[in-house]
């Protein structure tokens, strides 16, 4: 194996380790967010019910009701606001 091939192999190994580290960090971050969601969810719902457009958009993104990469895809969803309104009075 030539010196250039060895250097390339070393660079590839370093890049793989970086990618693994980033994936671990993202997983840890997602887990911490999911733990916080229990506390955030009622507040976000209340703001959305009150008409806060940023909260409504955030809820749509959380449940996956957002446009596709092409920004042309629309995913229809049904939201029963009345049920939640009564529940959180």
């Amino acid at each position: 194996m030539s010196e250039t091939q060895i250097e390339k192999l070393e660079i590839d190994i370093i890049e793989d380790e970086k990618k693994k580290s980033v994936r671990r960090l993202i997983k840890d971050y997602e887990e911490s967010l999911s733990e916080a969601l229990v506390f955030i969810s009622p507040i976000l719902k209340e703001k959305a019910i009150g008409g806060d457009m940023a909260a409504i958009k955030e809820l749509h993104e959380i449940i996956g009701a957002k446009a596709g990469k092409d920004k042309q895809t629309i995913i229809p969803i049904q939201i029963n606001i009345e049920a939640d309104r009564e529940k959180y009075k």
Side-chain angles (χ1 to χ4, degrees):
M1 201 179 280
S2 73
E3 191 173 317
T4 306
Q5 290 173 323
I6 292 172
E7 287 175 359
K8 184 176 179 343
L9 184 59
E10 289 172 347
I11 290 171
D12 289 344
I13 291 170
I14 291 169
E15 289 300 316
D16 286 344
E17 289 301 316
K18 284 181 184 178
K19 288 176 185 177
K20 287 178 186 177
S21 294
V22 168
R23 282 194 295 267
R24 278 193 300 267
L25 286 171
I26 290 171
K27 183 180 178 187
D28 291 345
Y29 180 73
E30 287 174 343
E31 287 174 2
S32 69
L33 282 179
S34 66
E35 292 169 3
L37 193 56
V38 174
F39 303 104
I40 296 169
S41 177
I43 298 166
L44 192 56
K45 279 184 183 179
E46 187 176 324
K47 286 186 174 202
I49 290 168
D52 184 325
M53 292 306 292
I56 292 169
K57 181 180 177 188
E58 185 66 25
L59 284 173
H60 279 228
E61 288 180 6
I62 289 170
I63 63 172
K66 56 185 172 183
K69 289 182 181 177
D70 59 3
K71 302 296 182 204
Q72 301 298 316
T73 306
I74 298 174
I75 302 169
I77 62 168
Q78 181 177 356
I79 301 173
N80 186 348
I81 294 176
E82 287 302 315
D84 281 340
R85 184 174 289 144
E86 291 300 316
K87 184 177 174 181
Y88 292 103
K89 273 189 175 179

